[in-house]
Each structure stands twice: as C-alpha cells, then as structure tokens.
C-alpha cells in the first residue's frame, strides 16, 4: 500500500496537470506514463552500468549508447544528455525543448529498432516500446513539464510494490473521472477471481480485452507471492515468466500503452500485450493457446455478421458481443484450460436461441464449475447492471456434474455511487488480515466466497435457502439451462402472527373512547 504522503504527491501532480491545461484524465495518465517510462530507461541503464563497472567489461546492450541521438536528424545531442538523471536538472525551457525534440523521438524509436531494450536478450521489441510508435507529446508549456518532472523525481520508487501501487492509484483516477467509457473492474473483484483460479507458474494467462491489464497484474502478484522461488530459479524460468506467461489484447492503443506500463511497473518487463480486435479478427495463431482466461470484456451492442470473426460464428451464430466473447474464450482455451469471466445477467437467463445454445454448450459440452452472482452496485457509478462471474473448464466432452451457486450480497463497499469502504482496509478483499465476524461478513462476502469455493465438498449438504448451494446438472437442463441464481434459490417465508380483525376493532374503540373522554375533560376546563 502506498503511504498518505505519496498519495498527496500524486494528487498534487494530477492537480498540476489539470491546472496546466491537460484536462482529459486519460491524457494525464498517458503523459505521466511516458515520463515514468523515460525515468525507467535511465534506471535500467544505470543498473547495466553498475554491472559493467563491477565486471570491468563494456556495458551490455546500453539503452543510451555512445554518440549522437540516432532518432533525430536535425542537431542531435549526445545520447547521455537524454537520460532522466541529466535533464531533470535543466531549466524549464531547455528541459522542454530537449524532451520534446530529442528525448521523445528517442523513446518512440525504441519500438522500431527491432531489439528489446528492456529485457535480457535480442530479437524482439519490448511490449511497451512497441506501443510507443504513435505516441504524442502533449505538455503545453515548459513550466508544467518542469514542475511535473520535479514532483515525480521526489517520489521514492525504489521497490516494485511502491511503483505498482502508485500506478494503480493513478489508474484509479481514470475510474473516478469516468471519461470515455473507460472504467476498471474493481480491484477486489479481480483479486477474488485470481484467488479462486489460483494460477500456476506453468499457466499461459490471457485477457482478450485487457484494458489497463488489471487481471494480468493481479495474476502476476499472486504468482510472485506464492511461487517466487520457482519462477525466478534461473534465467530460463525468469524469461518464461516475463515473456510467455501473460497475454493481453486490446484495440485501444492508449490502453495498450497504459496496460504495458502497468505490467512493467509491477515487475513484468515484456508481456505479450498487443493490438487486436478480439471479435473481428480470426484467431488461428491463438486458438487453444492459453490455459487460463481472466476477463471482464466490454459487453455492449452488436456486431454485423460481416465484421465478426468467422471462427466465432461457427461456435455460436449471434451478433451480441456478450455471447461472442464467451465463444472467444472457448476458442482460445486449451483442453483443460480454465476461465473466470464477468458477464451481464442477461447471459444467464436470455431467451434467444443463441443464449440457450451457448448455455447448453457450457453445461453439456464443457464443465461449468460455478456462477457467483454479484450485487447490482458492483460497477457503480458507471453502470448499475447486475453481473455474475462464470467459472468453467474447457473439456469438449462435458463433465458438468453439480454447478456451485453463490449469492454475493456485499463486497466490502457501499453499493451506491460513492462506493465507500464499509470496513477497515485490512478487512477488505478476499483475503483479510483475520477471520471476519458475522457482522463484518454481512458487509464483505468475498472471504466467504473464497473459503466455500476451496471446500466444495462441504457444500453438498447446503439447502437452497442458504447463501451458496450446489445444483445438479439435471435440474439446470430441466430449467432450459437457466443459470440465474434466483431460478434455484428457495426463499423461506417466516410466519407472522397478526391480531384478529375483531381484536383490532376492539382496540380502536378503546382508543376512540379515551380520546372522547379527554376531549370532554378539556372542554370542561375551558369552561
């Protein structure tokens, strides 16, 4: 967690950007991302310098090579002048001119040189560098750039956790601003899904609508916390973790830059984060490539058949994006691959032929593991739509026996537009600092979801009046493969004893008599 002091520093940077004329929060994040990247380049070059000095050898793959800036033709400066540690001490006007005319072109060129400057080896450009090709420098004036550079330089970002949390805090400001329809899946919901899926070092993890890479970041944190010695035991395992474990697509180049930087600041230098329209492009190269999918794709609107990937239409013929994404997940998963994906409630009970076909496919041809229903305020203030998390395994041969349903009623935050915390921070999320008391569970169901999921054997005896229960496949088939929890949840009605009408009337007569008596006494007093 970042400290209050760092939060206030970030807030001051944000305020300075707004006051300086950069009002769009996505643009603010993007411009700060470029500066963080430039700072990161200098840090990496310094590390390689230190290693070379220790060994008494030349610097291996220097980011800032000797000689003039190769990215510009007109008056190129020495590459060493492009380093953050050098230009941060310049006066505002010279700094502005250097960053705009020299540093920025140099940074953009990193993605075009055919070599990965940010990891150990050659042959491929880094994920972030490759998305820098169409980046724009949008600081309007020198004083603003100098002010922001000074404030960023004053924030201590030595360790990975601080850098990652700081960037997450910045990304939270996109959500609070709610611009451009961009809003993130709440971090505690992401963490719940990751904890329930429990990724392994051998997994190839994919989010086909990755946005800011929230799911991939959380999976990275889980693997580091639980399998650190395994993923970092040698150079080959480190390379696999950094380059082959995490995969994300998006068709918004701004989000690709932000998502790649998010991964980089969380310690993953070169994830496979790339431009792709998941629903419109064929998936020949990615078919059955991944063992775990974590996603909350944008479910909005419809596509024309002509613009929809043909391999998805072979699975389910529909124009609805929410159904096409489920088909996409099935297409991308390996046999035995697992998925945890957020869907709008309409997917669970929609009555169209495509809805029913897809649900039947999940139940009869694959292995549907669980449906976790979430409260309707989970995505406020952006959307009040009810959603659920589907958990399934690709088998192509069935395997559904019992489906586990959980009725989540509270996620630790108020379900209004403010989404304020209902408990202390250490008691929030799926893994609180201690076991929650009953009154705390009523405000945060996430730890209970995880506990019950990890002990499905103990769910067999639960009644359908409880918060979670198992439903046999035969019951789901009998209900036209409806997957909404309300179809199976039984409500207990408490018997309430009321007075008989005769007794109620007698009581009213007594009251009227008392009123009449009091009124008569008052009249006598008045005279």
């Amino acid at each position: 967690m970042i400290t209050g002091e760092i939060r206030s520093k970030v807030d001051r940077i944000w305020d300075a950007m707004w006051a300086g004329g950069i009002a769009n929060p996505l643009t603010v994040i993007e411009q700060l991302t470029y500066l963080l990247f430039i700072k990161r380049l200098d840090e990496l070059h310094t590390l390689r310098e230190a290693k070379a000095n220790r060994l008494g050898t030349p610097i291996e793959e220097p980011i800032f090579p000797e000689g003039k800036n190769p990215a510009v033709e007109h008056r190129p400066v020495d590459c060493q002048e492009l380093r953050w540690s050098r230009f941060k001490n310049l006066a505002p006007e010279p700094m502005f001119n250097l960053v705009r005319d020299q540093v920025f072109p140099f940074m953009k060129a990193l993605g075009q040189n055919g070599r990965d400057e940010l990891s150990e080896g050659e042959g491929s450009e880094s994920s972030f560098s490759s998305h820098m090709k169409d980046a724009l420098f949008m600081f309007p004036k020198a004083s603003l750039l100098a002010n922001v550079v000074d404030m960023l330089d004053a924030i201590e970002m030595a360790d990975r956790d601080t850098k990652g949390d700081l960037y997450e805090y910045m990304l939270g400001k996109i959500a609070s601003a709610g611009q451009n329809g961009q809003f993130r899946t709440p971090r505690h919901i992401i963490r719940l899904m990751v904890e329930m899926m429990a990724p392994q070092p051998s997994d190839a993890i994919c989010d086909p609508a990755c946005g800011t890479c929230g799911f991939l970041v959380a999976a990275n944190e889980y693997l580091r916390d639980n399998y650190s010695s395994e993923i970092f035991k040698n150079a080959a395992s480190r390379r696999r973790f950094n380059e082959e474990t995490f995969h994300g697509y998006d068709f918004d180049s701004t989000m690709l830059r932000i998502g790649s930087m998010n991964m980089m600041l969380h310690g993953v230098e070169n994830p496979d984060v790339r431009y792709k329209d998941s629903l419109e492009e064929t998936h020949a190269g990615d078919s059955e490539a991944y063992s775990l999918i974590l996603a909350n794709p944008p479910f909005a609107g419809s596509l024309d058949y002509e613009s929809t990937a043909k391999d998805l239409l072979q699975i389910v013929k529909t124009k609805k994006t929410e159904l096409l994404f489920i088909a996409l997940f099935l297409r991308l998963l390996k046999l035995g691959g697992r998925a945890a994906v957020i869907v709008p409630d309409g997917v669970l009970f929609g009555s169209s032929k495509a809805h029913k076909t897809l649900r039947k496919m999940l139940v009869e041809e694959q292995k549907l593991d669980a449906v976790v229903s979430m409260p309707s305020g989970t995505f406020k203030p952006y959307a009040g739509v009810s959603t659920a998390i589907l958990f399934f395994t690709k088998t192509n041969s069935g395997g559904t026996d019992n489906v586990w349903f959980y009725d989540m009623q509270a996620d630790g935050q108020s379900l209004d537009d403010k989404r304020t915390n209902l408990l202390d921070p250490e008691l929030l999320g799926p893994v609180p600092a201690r076991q929650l008391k009953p009154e705390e569970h009523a405000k945060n169901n996430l730890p209970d979801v995880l506990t019950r999921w990890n002990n499905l054997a103990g769910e067999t005896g639960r009644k359908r009046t409880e918060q979670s229960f198992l439903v046999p496949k035969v019951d789901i088939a009998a209900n036209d493969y409806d997957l909404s929890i309300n179809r199976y949840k039984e409500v207990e009605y408490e018997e309430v004893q009321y007075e008989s009408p005769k007794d109620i009337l007698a009581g009213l007569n007594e009251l009227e008599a008392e009123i009449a008596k009091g009124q008569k006494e008052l009249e006598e007093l008045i005279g």
Side-chain angles (χ1 to χ4, degrees), residues 333-386:
L333 281 173
K334 297 177 180 179
L335 275 179
R338 302 164 298 142
V341 298
I342 296 174
V343 297
D345 272 5
V347 170
L348 307 180
F349 57 77
S351 57
S352 75
K353 182 180 178 183
H355 280 90
K356 292 179 182 178
T357 300
L358 199 61
R359 291 198 302 266
K360 183 177 181 180
M361 186 184 303
L362 287 176
V363 174
E364 298 289 355
E365 298 178 24
Q366 314 301 335
K367 185 176 182 291
L368 180 62
D369 299 303
V371 180
V372 175
S373 173
M374 293 192 287
S376 59
T378 301
F379 287 94
K380 281 191 173 181
Y382 323 102
V385 64
S386 293

Side-chain angles (χ1 to χ4, degrees), residues 105-125:
F106 176 82
M107 178 179 66
K108 290 175 67 173
L110 288 179
Q112 302 167 348
N113 65 6
R115 184 163 61 92
D116 177 6
E117 300 283 6
L118 298 179
S119 67
E120 313 159 356
E122 300 184 4
S124 65
E125 59 192 31

Side-chain angles (χ1 to χ4, degrees), residues 248-525:
Y249 321 142
D250 209 289
F251 57 80
D252 183 331
S253 56
T254 298
M255 298 311 280
L256 285 170
R257 282 193 285 271
I258 291 172
S260 297
M261 173 56 76
N262 199 13
M263 291 295 283
M264 185 186 299
L265 292 178
H266 280 88
V268 182
E269 293 290 0
N270 194 16
D272 173 28
V273 176
R274 52 195 152 105
Y275 182 93
K276 185 169 187 175
D277 189 331
S278 295
L279 297 183
E280 294 193 7
E281 298 179 32
T282 56
H283 305 91
D286 296 304
S287 178
E288 299 194 343
Y290 309 111
S291 59
L292 178 59
I293 286 179
L294 297 159
N296 176 24
F299 299 106
S302 303
L303 297 176
D304 295 330
Y305 285 135
E306 292 75 24
S307 60
T308 304
K310 300 299 180 281
D311 55 346
L312 299 185
L313 292 176
Q314 289 170 5
I315 298 173
V316 58
K317 188 165 185 182
T318 180
K319 297 179 180 180
K320 290 191 171 293
T321 55
E322 60 263 38
L323 301 181
L324 289 168
F325 267 111
I326 302 291
L328 171 66
F329 302 148
L330 291 172
R331 181 75 171 164
L332 297 179
L333 281 173
K334 297 177 180 179
L335 275 179
R338 302 164 298 142
V341 298
I342 296 174
V343 297
D345 272 5
V347 170
L348 307 180
F349 57 77
S351 57
S352 75
K353 182 180 178 183
H355 280 90
K356 292 179 182 178
T357 300
L358 199 61
R359 291 198 302 266
K360 183 177 181 180
M361 186 184 303
L362 287 176
V363 174
E364 298 289 355
E365 298 178 24
Q366 314 301 335
K367 185 176 182 291
L368 180 62
D369 299 303
V371 180
V372 175
S373 173
M374 293 192 287
S376 59
T378 301
F379 287 94
K380 281 191 173 181
Y382 323 102
V385 64
S386 293
T387 53
I389 311 171
L390 285 183
F391 297 85
F392 58 89
T393 304
K394 179 176 177 177
T395 64
N396 286 349
S397 59
T400 305
D401 186 11
N402 292 296
V403 178
W404 185 64
F405 285 82
Y406 190 101
D407 184 14
M408 186 198 298
Q409 296 163 358
D411 68 348
Q413 298 180 347
S414 62
L415 296 173
D416 55 14
D417 286 354
K418 293 183 179 179
R419 295 288 277 151
T420 51
N421 291 341
L422 301 177
L423 296 169
D424 292 337
E426 66 271 13
L427 300 180
L428 296 173
V431 187
R434 61 165 172 79
Q435 188 171 351
L436 300 187
K437 299 171 184 175
E439 62 271 19
E440 293 166 340
H441 161 73
K443 297 176 181 178
N444 178 17
N445 295 170
L446 272 56
D448 189 52
V449 177
L450 184 58
T451 300
R452 296 191 187 197
W453 166 261
N454 287 332
N455 183 30
L456 287 181
E459 297 291 294
T460 52
R462 292 195 186 275
K463 298 177 181 177
R464 294 193 189 177
T465 53
E466 298 186 55
Q467 196 163 9
S468 68
F469 49 84
L470 292 166
V471 177
K473 183 176 81 169
V474 65
D475 287 7
I476 295 174
N479 282 285
D480 220 2
Y481 299 97
D482 191 315
L483 297 178
S484 55
I485 193 167
N486 291 333
R487 172 69 69 175
Y488 307 102
K489 192 174 178 73
E490 295 174 2
V491 179
E492 275 186 315
Y493 294 99
E494 218 175 280
E495 189 175 346
V496 180
Q497 295 289 337
Y498 294 101
E499 291 183 77
S500 68
K502 188 175 181 180
D503 290 340
I504 294 172
L505 286 171
L508 287 171
N509 288 334
E510 283 181 27
L511 287 171
E512 284 181 4
E514 281 183 35
I515 293 169
K517 181 183 175 184
Q519 188 174 350
K520 189 173 182 181
E521 290 173 357
L522 186 60
E523 286 172 353
E524 288 174 356
L525 285 170

Side-chain angles (χ1 to χ4, degrees), residues 219-239:
N220 159 57
E221 295 295 302
Y222 181 91
L223 288 169
R224 285 175 181 271
D225 290 343
N226 292 278
Y227 300 99
S228 184
S229 58
E230 189 172 340
I231 58 181
F232 296 121
K233 66 181 178 183
N234 55 44
S237 62
R238 282 198 305 273
R239 179 174 288 278

